[in-house]
Amino acid sequence: VVAITTGLIQVWLGATGRTRRLHILLGRVYLGAVTVGSLAGFHLALTTLGSLVFGSGLFFLCVAWVVTTTMAYMAVRNRAIEQHREWMLRSYVVTFAFVVFRLFTQWLIGQGVSPSEAAGLMSWASWAVPLLMLEPMLQYRRIRRR
């Protein structure tokens, strides 16, 4: 919840270019929340009694969360602001996967899919599909700028 909330504020602050100090402070809070959340997610993925599909989807969601957030942090430390923005968008898409997971798992169950199949499918689709949708948008922006 902390990462989702601070991430949303960060996207808005980053888009408007306002209050740099607040942006930096909330960025640190976001980084801490992702660290704690991903560690908890790794633990859950490795100890879940659910299916292998669910556990592996959750595990690689956490890998994607750590990688995207780390790349955003490394970019900003090297003053590569455009890359930082892109990696933060990817990171936030992965952060938002937890919301997507809940919403679409319940929807699939309502459509008659078994809870374990819905959870397994959405443990992968909740982050992979949004990342796949975001990447062409980011690349299209680059092409348009040239």
Side-chain angles (χ1 to χ4, degrees), residues 37-66:
S38 62
L39 288 173
F42 279 124
H43 175 73
L44 180 62
L46 296 171
T47 60
T48 186
L49 299 176
S51 70
L52 179 62
V53 174
F54 173 75
S56 64
L58 181 57
F59 182 86
F60 285 105
L61 164 63
C62 292
V63 169
W65 208 14
V66 169

PDB file of all heavy atoms in Angstrom, residues 37-66:
ATOM      1  N   GLY A  37       8.505  -4.969   0.674  1.00  0.00           N
ATOM      2  CA  GLY A  37       7.480  -5.730  -0.040  1.00  0.00           C
ATOM      3  C   GLY A  37       8.040  -6.865  -0.860  1.00  0.00           C
ATOM      4  O   GLY A  37       7.482  -7.969  -0.893  1.00  0.00           O
ATOM      5  N   SER A  38       9.168  -6.618  -1.527  1.00  0.00           N
ATOM      6  CA  SER A  38       9.749  -7.682  -2.354  1.00  0.00           C
ATOM      7  C   SER A  38      10.337  -8.799  -1.491  1.00  0.00           C
ATOM      8  O   SER A  38      10.220  -9.977  -1.837  1.00  0.00           O
ATOM      9  CB  SER A  38      10.790  -7.125  -3.319  1.00  0.00           C
ATOM     10  OG  SER A  38      11.860  -6.534  -2.621  1.00  0.00           O
ATOM     11  N   LEU A  39      10.936  -8.442  -0.370  1.00  0.00           N
ATOM     12  CA  LEU A  39      11.438  -9.484   0.535  1.00  0.00           C
ATOM     13  C   LEU A  39      10.284 -10.347   1.052  1.00  0.00           C
ATOM     14  O   LEU A  39      10.402 -11.582   1.103  1.00  0.00           O
ATOM     15  CB  LEU A  39      12.216  -8.864   1.695  1.00  0.00           C
ATOM     16  CG  LEU A  39      13.572  -8.278   1.339  1.00  0.00           C
ATOM     17  CD1 LEU A  39      14.161  -7.535   2.544  1.00  0.00           C
ATOM     18  CD2 LEU A  39      14.525  -9.343   0.837  1.00  0.00           C
ATOM     19  N   ALA A  40       9.188  -9.703   1.413  1.00  0.00           N
ATOM     20  CA  ALA A  40       8.010 -10.459   1.857  1.00  0.00           C
ATOM     21  C   ALA A  40       7.458 -11.302   0.716  1.00  0.00           C
ATOM     22  O   ALA A  40       7.051 -12.460   0.925  1.00  0.00           O
ATOM     23  CB  ALA A  40       6.947  -9.501   2.377  1.00  0.00           C
ATOM     24  N   GLY A  41       7.455 -10.753  -0.487  1.00  0.00           N
ATOM     25  CA  GLY A  41       6.969 -11.497  -1.649  1.00  0.00           C
ATOM     26  C   GLY A  41       7.829 -12.705  -1.962  1.00  0.00           C
ATOM     27  O   GLY A  41       7.308 -13.787  -2.276  1.00  0.00           O
ATOM     28  N   PHE A  42       9.146 -12.545  -1.883  1.00  0.00           N
ATOM     29  CA  PHE A  42      10.045 -13.689  -2.095  1.00  0.00           C
ATOM     30  C   PHE A  42       9.771 -14.778  -1.061  1.00  0.00           C
ATOM     31  O   PHE A  42       9.705 -15.964  -1.395  1.00  0.00           O
ATOM     32  CB  PHE A  42      11.516 -13.267  -2.017  1.00  0.00           C
ATOM     33  CG  PHE A  42      12.055 -12.650  -3.271  1.00  0.00           C
ATOM     34  CD1 PHE A  42      12.628 -11.384  -3.243  1.00  0.00           C
ATOM     35  CD2 PHE A  42      12.005 -13.319  -4.483  1.00  0.00           C
ATOM     36  CE1 PHE A  42      13.146 -10.808  -4.398  1.00  0.00           C
ATOM     37  CE2 PHE A  42      12.518 -12.758  -5.642  1.00  0.00           C
ATOM     38  CZ  PHE A  42      13.088 -11.498  -5.595  1.00  0.00           C
ATOM     39  N   HIS A  43       9.601 -14.373   0.192  1.00  0.00           N
ATOM     40  CA  HIS A  43       9.310 -15.355   1.244  1.00  0.00           C
ATOM     41  C   HIS A  43       8.003 -16.082   0.950  1.00  0.00           C
ATOM     42  O   HIS A  43       7.936 -17.316   1.039  1.00  0.00           O
ATOM     43  CB  HIS A  43       9.247 -14.667   2.611  1.00  0.00           C
ATOM     44  CG  HIS A  43       8.841 -15.587   3.712  1.00  0.00           C
ATOM     45  ND1 HIS A  43       9.682 -16.551   4.208  1.00  0.00           N
ATOM     46  CD2 HIS A  43       7.675 -15.708   4.378  1.00  0.00           C
ATOM     47  CE1 HIS A  43       9.046 -17.232   5.154  1.00  0.00           C
ATOM     48  NE2 HIS A  43       7.824 -16.733   5.269  1.00  0.00           N
ATOM     49  N   LEU A  44       6.982 -15.333   0.586  1.00  0.00           N
ATOM     50  CA  LEU A  44       5.692 -15.943   0.270  1.00  0.00           C
ATOM     51  C   LEU A  44       5.807 -16.884  -0.929  1.00  0.00           C
ATOM     52  O   LEU A  44       5.274 -17.997  -0.908  1.00  0.00           O
ATOM     53  CB  LEU A  44       4.653 -14.858  -0.013  1.00  0.00           C
ATOM     54  CG  LEU A  44       3.248 -15.338  -0.360  1.00  0.00           C
ATOM     55  CD1 LEU A  44       2.652 -16.128   0.796  1.00  0.00           C
ATOM     56  CD2 LEU A  44       2.361 -14.148  -0.696  1.00  0.00           C
ATOM     57  N   ALA A  45       6.528 -16.453  -1.960  1.00  0.00           N
ATOM     58  CA  ALA A  45       6.682 -17.284  -3.160  1.00  0.00           C
ATOM     59  C   ALA A  45       7.380 -18.599  -2.845  1.00  0.00           C
ATOM     60  O   ALA A  45       7.034 -19.643  -3.405  1.00  0.00           O
ATOM     61  CB  ALA A  45       7.469 -16.527  -4.223  1.00  0.00           C
ATOM     62  N   LEU A  46       8.360 -18.548  -1.957  1.00  0.00           N
ATOM     63  CA  LEU A  46       9.134 -19.749  -1.645  1.00  0.00           C
ATOM     64  C   LEU A  46       8.464 -20.659  -0.625  1.00  0.00           C
ATOM     65  O   LEU A  46       8.845 -21.821  -0.493  1.00  0.00           O
ATOM     66  CB  LEU A  46      10.530 -19.350  -1.156  1.00  0.00           C
ATOM     67  CG  LEU A  46      11.390 -18.636  -2.215  1.00  0.00           C
ATOM     68  CD1 LEU A  46      12.665 -18.089  -1.581  1.00  0.00           C
ATOM     69  CD2 LEU A  46      11.709 -19.562  -3.380  1.00  0.00           C
ATOM     70  N   THR A  47       7.465 -20.140   0.101  1.00  0.00           N
ATOM     71  CA  THR A  47       6.817 -20.948   1.131  1.00  0.00           C
ATOM     72  C   THR A  47       5.338 -21.208   0.863  1.00  0.00           C
ATOM     73  O   THR A  47       4.676 -21.818   1.684  1.00  0.00           O
ATOM     74  CB  THR A  47       6.953 -20.272   2.512  1.00  0.00           C
ATOM     75  OG1 THR A  47       6.335 -18.982   2.464  1.00  0.00           O
ATOM     76  CG2 THR A  47       8.412 -20.143   2.915  1.00  0.00           C
ATOM     77  N   THR A  48       4.837 -20.762  -0.288  1.00  0.00           N
ATOM     78  CA  THR A  48       3.418 -20.908  -0.581  1.00  0.00           C
ATOM     79  C   THR A  48       3.032 -22.381  -0.718  1.00  0.00           C
ATOM     80  O   THR A  48       3.812 -23.199  -1.191  1.00  0.00           O
ATOM     81  CB  THR A  48       3.024 -20.143  -1.861  1.00  0.00           C
ATOM     82  OG1 THR A  48       1.602 -20.221  -1.990  1.00  0.00           O
ATOM     83  CG2 THR A  48       3.688 -20.710  -3.105  1.00  0.00           C
ATOM     84  N   LEU A  49       1.828 -22.647  -0.291  1.00  0.00           N
ATOM     85  CA  LEU A  49       1.283 -23.992  -0.459  1.00  0.00           C
ATOM     86  C   LEU A  49       0.491 -24.080  -1.757  1.00  0.00           C
ATOM     87  O   LEU A  49      -0.061 -25.126  -2.073  1.00  0.00           O
ATOM     88  CB  LEU A  49       0.392 -24.356   0.733  1.00  0.00           C
ATOM     89  CG  LEU A  49       1.099 -24.370   2.095  1.00  0.00           C
ATOM     90  CD1 LEU A  49       0.103 -24.649   3.212  1.00  0.00           C
ATOM     91  CD2 LEU A  49       2.240 -25.367   2.113  1.00  0.00           C
ATOM     92  N   GLY A  50       0.461 -22.976  -2.490  1.00  0.00           N
ATOM     93  CA  GLY A  50      -0.244 -22.939  -3.771  1.00  0.00           C
ATOM     94  C   GLY A  50       0.539 -23.693  -4.831  1.00  0.00           C
ATOM     95  O   GLY A  50       1.543 -24.349  -4.568  1.00  0.00           O
ATOM     96  N   SER A  51       0.079 -23.571  -6.046  1.00  0.00           N
ATOM     97  CA  SER A  51       0.685 -24.303  -7.157  1.00  0.00           C
ATOM     98  C   SER A  51       2.061 -23.744  -7.508  1.00  0.00           C
ATOM     99  O   SER A  51       2.418 -22.626  -7.137  1.00  0.00           O
ATOM    100  CB  SER A  51      -0.220 -24.220  -8.384  1.00  0.00           C
ATOM    101  OG  SER A  51      -0.221 -22.907  -8.913  1.00  0.00           O
ATOM    102  N   LEU A  52       2.800 -24.543  -8.260  1.00  0.00           N
ATOM    103  CA  LEU A  52       4.106 -24.108  -8.755  1.00  0.00           C
ATOM    104  C   LEU A  52       3.947 -22.903  -9.681  1.00  0.00           C
ATOM    105  O   LEU A  52       4.782 -21.988  -9.669  1.00  0.00           O
ATOM    106  CB  LEU A  52       4.797 -25.270  -9.494  1.00  0.00           C
ATOM    107  CG  LEU A  52       6.154 -24.972 -10.103  1.00  0.00           C
ATOM    108  CD1 LEU A  52       7.156 -24.596  -9.013  1.00  0.00           C
ATOM    109  CD2 LEU A  52       6.652 -26.165 -10.898  1.00  0.00           C
ATOM    110  N   VAL A  53       2.888 -22.879 -10.458  1.00  0.00           N
ATOM    111  CA  VAL A  53       2.636 -21.755 -11.363  1.00  0.00           C
ATOM    112  C   VAL A  53       2.462 -20.475 -10.548  1.00  0.00           C
ATOM    113  O   VAL A  53       3.065 -19.438 -10.851  1.00  0.00           O
ATOM    114  CB  VAL A  53       1.403 -22.012 -12.251  1.00  0.00           C
ATOM    115  CG1 VAL A  53       1.056 -20.784 -13.073  1.00  0.00           C
ATOM    116  CG2 VAL A  53       1.628 -23.216 -13.145  1.00  0.00           C
ATOM    117  N   PHE A  54       1.662 -20.517  -9.488  1.00  0.00           N
ATOM    118  CA  PHE A  54       1.450 -19.345  -8.649  1.00  0.00           C
ATOM    119  C   PHE A  54       2.751 -18.913  -7.973  1.00  0.00           C
ATOM    120  O   PHE A  54       3.119 -17.742  -8.013  1.00  0.00           O
ATOM    121  CB  PHE A  54       0.380 -19.613  -7.583  1.00  0.00           C
ATOM    122  CG  PHE A  54       0.246 -18.498  -6.590  1.00  0.00           C
ATOM    123  CD1 PHE A  54      -0.381 -17.311  -6.946  1.00  0.00           C
ATOM    124  CD2 PHE A  54       0.770 -18.617  -5.318  1.00  0.00           C
ATOM    125  CE1 PHE A  54      -0.493 -16.269  -6.033  1.00  0.00           C
ATOM    126  CE2 PHE A  54       0.668 -17.577  -4.401  1.00  0.00           C
ATOM    127  CZ  PHE A  54       0.028 -16.399  -4.765  1.00  0.00           C
ATOM    128  N   GLY A  55       3.454 -19.858  -7.372  1.00  0.00           N
ATOM    129  CA  GLY A  55       4.700 -19.535  -6.671  1.00  0.00           C
ATOM    130  C   GLY A  55       5.752 -18.954  -7.600  1.00  0.00           C
ATOM    131  O   GLY A  55       6.428 -17.973  -7.259  1.00  0.00           O
ATOM    132  N   SER A  56       5.898 -19.525  -8.785  1.00  0.00           N
ATOM    133  CA  SER A  56       6.901 -19.012  -9.728  1.00  0.00           C
ATOM    134  C   SER A  56       6.494 -17.649 -10.275  1.00  0.00           C
ATOM    135  O   SER A  56       7.340 -16.772 -10.461  1.00  0.00           O
ATOM    136  CB  SER A  56       7.132 -20.007 -10.866  1.00  0.00           C
ATOM    137  OG  SER A  56       5.967 -20.179 -11.646  1.00  0.00           O
ATOM    138  N   GLY A  57       5.209 -17.442 -10.526  1.00  0.00           N
ATOM    139  CA  GLY A  57       4.739 -16.140 -10.986  1.00  0.00           C
ATOM    140  C   GLY A  57       5.002 -15.059  -9.953  1.00  0.00           C
ATOM    141  O   GLY A  57       5.467 -13.964 -10.280  1.00  0.00           O
ATOM    142  N   LEU A  58       4.740 -15.365  -8.684  1.00  0.00           N
ATOM    143  CA  LEU A  58       4.999 -14.423  -7.609  1.00  0.00           C
ATOM    144  C   LEU A  58       6.498 -14.171  -7.453  1.00  0.00           C
ATOM    145  O   LEU A  58       6.931 -13.033  -7.268  1.00  0.00           O
ATOM    146  CB  LEU A  58       4.397 -14.932  -6.299  1.00  0.00           C
ATOM    147  CG  LEU A  58       4.568 -14.038  -5.082  1.00  0.00           C
ATOM    148  CD1 LEU A  58       3.977 -12.643  -5.330  1.00  0.00           C
ATOM    149  CD2 LEU A  58       3.917 -14.687  -3.869  1.00  0.00           C
ATOM    150  N   PHE A  59       7.294 -15.227  -7.550  1.00  0.00           N
ATOM    151  CA  PHE A  59       8.747 -15.085  -7.432  1.00  0.00           C
ATOM    152  C   PHE A  59       9.286 -14.144  -8.513  1.00  0.00           C
ATOM    153  O   PHE A  59      10.039 -13.209  -8.225  1.00  0.00           O
ATOM    154  CB  PHE A  59       9.419 -16.462  -7.539  1.00  0.00           C
ATOM    155  CG  PHE A  59      10.911 -16.399  -7.368  1.00  0.00           C
ATOM    156  CD1 PHE A  59      11.477 -16.445  -6.103  1.00  0.00           C
ATOM    157  CD2 PHE A  59      11.749 -16.292  -8.462  1.00  0.00           C
ATOM    158  CE1 PHE A  59      12.855 -16.383  -5.934  1.00  0.00           C
ATOM    159  CE2 PHE A  59      13.126 -16.223  -8.319  1.00  0.00           C
ATOM    160  CZ  PHE A  59      13.683 -16.272  -7.047  1.00  0.00           C
ATOM    161  N   PHE A  60       8.877 -14.355  -9.753  1.00  0.00           N
ATOM    162  CA  PHE A  60       9.400 -13.522 -10.832  1.00  0.00           C
ATOM    163  C   PHE A  60       8.772 -12.123 -10.855  1.00  0.00           C
ATOM    164  O   PHE A  60       9.388 -11.185 -11.355  1.00  0.00           O
ATOM    165  CB  PHE A  60       9.298 -14.242 -12.175  1.00  0.00           C
ATOM    166  CG  PHE A  60      10.342 -15.312 -12.285  1.00  0.00           C
ATOM    167  CD1 PHE A  60      10.006 -16.652 -12.152  1.00  0.00           C
ATOM    168  CD2 PHE A  60      11.675 -14.979 -12.462  1.00  0.00           C
ATOM    169  CE1 PHE A  60      10.980 -17.639 -12.220  1.00  0.00           C
ATOM    170  CE2 PHE A  60      12.659 -15.957 -12.534  1.00  0.00           C
ATOM    171  CZ  PHE A  60      12.316 -17.288 -12.414  1.00  0.00           C
ATOM    172  N   LEU A  61       7.589 -11.981 -10.287  1.00  0.00           N
ATOM    173  CA  LEU A  61       7.050 -10.641 -10.056  1.00  0.00           C
ATOM    174  C   LEU A  61       7.991  -9.874  -9.136  1.00  0.00           C
ATOM    175  O   LEU A  61       8.332  -8.716  -9.401  1.00  0.00           O
ATOM    176  CB  LEU A  61       5.652 -10.725  -9.445  1.00  0.00           C
ATOM    177  CG  LEU A  61       5.090  -9.452  -8.802  1.00  0.00           C
ATOM    178  CD1 LEU A  61       4.924  -8.335  -9.817  1.00  0.00           C
ATOM    179  CD2 LEU A  61       3.764  -9.751  -8.120  1.00  0.00           C
ATOM    180  N   CYS A  62       8.439 -10.521  -8.075  1.00  0.00           N
ATOM    181  CA  CYS A  62       9.375  -9.873  -7.151  1.00  0.00           C
ATOM    182  C   CYS A  62      10.711  -9.583  -7.831  1.00  0.00           C
ATOM    183  O   CYS A  62      11.307  -8.528  -7.593  1.00  0.00           O
ATOM    184  CB  CYS A  62       9.575 -10.740  -5.910  1.00  0.00           C
ATOM    185  SG  CYS A  62       8.093 -10.847  -4.885  1.00  0.00           S
ATOM    186  N   VAL A  63      11.173 -10.493  -8.678  1.00  0.00           N
ATOM    187  CA  VAL A  63      12.407 -10.238  -9.440  1.00  0.00           C
ATOM    188  C   VAL A  63      12.219  -8.996 -10.317  1.00  0.00           C
ATOM    189  O   VAL A  63      13.078  -8.099 -10.340  1.00  0.00           O
ATOM    190  CB  VAL A  63      12.809 -11.465 -10.299  1.00  0.00           C
ATOM    191  CG1 VAL A  63      13.909 -11.103 -11.278  1.00  0.00           C
ATOM    192  CG2 VAL A  63      13.224 -12.629  -9.411  1.00  0.00           C
ATOM    193  N   ALA A  64      11.103  -8.925 -11.030  1.00  0.00           N
ATOM    194  CA  ALA A  64      10.827  -7.763 -11.888  1.00  0.00           C
ATOM    195  C   ALA A  64      10.740  -6.492 -11.064  1.00  0.00           C
ATOM    196  O   ALA A  64      11.229  -5.432 -11.476  1.00  0.00           O
ATOM    197  CB  ALA A  64       9.530  -7.985 -12.681  1.00  0.00           C
ATOM    198  N   TRP A  65      10.162  -6.578  -9.882  1.00  0.00           N
ATOM    199  CA  TRP A  65      10.018  -5.416  -8.995  1.00  0.00           C
ATOM    200  C   TRP A  65      11.387  -4.903  -8.552  1.00  0.00           C
ATOM    201  O   TRP A  65      11.665  -3.719  -8.608  1.00  0.00           O
ATOM    202  CB  TRP A  65       9.178  -5.817  -7.810  1.00  0.00           C
ATOM    203  CG  TRP A  65       8.382  -4.736  -7.160  1.00  0.00           C
ATOM    204  CD1 TRP A  65       8.110  -3.489  -7.651  1.00  0.00           C
ATOM    205  CD2 TRP A  65       7.741  -4.824  -5.910  1.00  0.00           C
ATOM    206  NE1 TRP A  65       7.331  -2.798  -6.760  1.00  0.00           N
ATOM    207  CE2 TRP A  65       7.086  -3.597  -5.679  1.00  0.00           C
ATOM    208  CE3 TRP A  65       7.635  -5.827  -4.940  1.00  0.00           C
ATOM    209  CZ2 TRP A  65       6.350  -3.337  -4.520  1.00  0.00           C
ATOM    210  CZ3 TRP A  65       6.897  -5.567  -3.804  1.00  0.00           C
ATOM    211  CH2 TRP A  65       6.258  -4.333  -3.591  1.00  0.00           C
ATOM    212  N   VAL A  66      12.248  -5.831  -8.150  1.00  0.00           N
ATOM    213  CA  VAL A  66      13.593  -5.455  -7.703  1.00  0.00           C
ATOM    214  C   VAL A  66      14.416  -4.903  -8.876  1.00  0.00           C
ATOM    215  O   VAL A  66      15.089  -3.876  -8.741  1.00  0.00           O
ATOM    216  CB  VAL A  66      14.301  -6.655  -7.041  1.00  0.00           C
ATOM    217  CG1 VAL A  66      15.776  -6.371  -6.822  1.00  0.00           C
ATOM    218  CG2 VAL A  66      13.628  -7.009  -5.720  1.00  0.00           C
TER     219      VAL A  66
END
